Amino acid sequence: MARISAQERRESVVRAAIAEFALKGYYGTSTEAIAKRVGVTQPYLFRLFPGKKAIFVAALVRSMEDTRLAFERAADGAEGGEQTLRAMTDAYARLISARPETLLMQMQGYAVVVAAEAEGDDQTGELVRTGWMRLWETVHLSLGADVRETASFFACGMLGNTLTAIGLSSDRRETGA
């Protein structure tokens, strides 16, 4: 059996953390659950990351970057505003359908900002705001720097995110029921 490098193991931890934090949030997720999901001990987990917050931050950064890259790749092959809009919308729908934990992790990140800042942690909020602005910038530039179109894209996306997070199926979304 081949040995897994620390970098590969770190990647496994980030993916496992996304899945755990997405469902249970920062406060409801234990490092024990993350270690168990990866198949390592907690002491090994803490050799890869200095603590739970560092794992959360890595998971949050990864989920936001995965989303940004999905938009960027979709826009690369598109020609023009409407085609770009459709390509990014479809790419995002595929991403959250295949890996809903990516979206749910981001939602957990948005939710934890207020609590973190109340505890004197401004780093998490800054990280979330920076990640969100990178998402905005990628979409905005891909859509020809049209503020209204970018805002509309995100408004519809956040509606879709909310419906997904509360468990409404796509059938119900399309009918408005």
Side-chain angles (χ1 to χ4, degrees):
M1 194 159 137
R3 290 185 52 87
I4 297 175
S5 72
Q7 187 57 35
E8 291 168 319
R9 186 67 76 185
R10 191 174 162 81
E11 176 65 22
S12 296
V13 169
V14 169
R15 291 290 174 201
I18 289 171
E20 290 293 326
F21 287 127
L23 295 177
K24 300 175 197 148
Y26 180 79
Y27 297 103
T29 298
S30 69
T31 56
E32 179 181 354
I34 296 168
K36 184 177 179 181
R37 184 180 280 261
V38 177
V40 300
T41 63
Q42 278 185 299
Y44 185 77
L45 192 71
F46 292 123
R47 281 191 293 216
L48 298 172
F49 293 91
K52 180 178 173 179
K53 181 180 172 192
I55 298 169
F56 182 82
V57 165
L60 183 55
V61 167
R62 172 58 54 77
S63 67
M64 294 182 93
E65 186 62 8
D66 285 352
T67 302
R68 192 192 69 73
L69 288 171
F71 291 147
E72 186 175 83
R73 284 190 295 268
D76 279 346
E79 297 176 16
E82 187 60 38
Q83 189 181 30
T84 301
L85 180 65
R86 175 59 42 211
M88 288 191 305
T89 300
D90 291 347
Y92 187 63
R94 283 190 306 274
L95 174 66
I96 65 171
S97 176
R99 294 188 354 235
E101 67 276 7
T102 301
L103 159 67
L104 297 173
M105 178 69 217
Q106 288 174 57
M107 299 291 269
Q108 293 290 352
Y110 302 151
V112 82
V113 169
V114 173
E117 289 180 346
E119 294 174 355
D121 169 12
D122 295 330
Q123 178 193 8
T124 302
E126 191 53 40
L127 177 89
V128 170
R129 287 184 286 276
T130 298
W132 199 91
M133 289 307 299
R134 285 182 51 117
L135 286 170
W136 172 275
E137 202 61 27
T138 297
V139 170
H140 187 61
L141 294 176
S142 297
L143 294 176
D146 183 312
V147 173
R148 285 179 186 248
E149 195 165 3
T150 305
S152 178
F153 178 85
F154 278 101
C156 290
M158 286 306 287
L159 174 60
N161 290 347
T162 301
L163 295 174
T164 297
I166 64 173
L168 285 179
S169 69
S170 59
D171 309 1
R172 298 192 78 189
R173 283 187 239 163
E174 290 168 11
T175 63

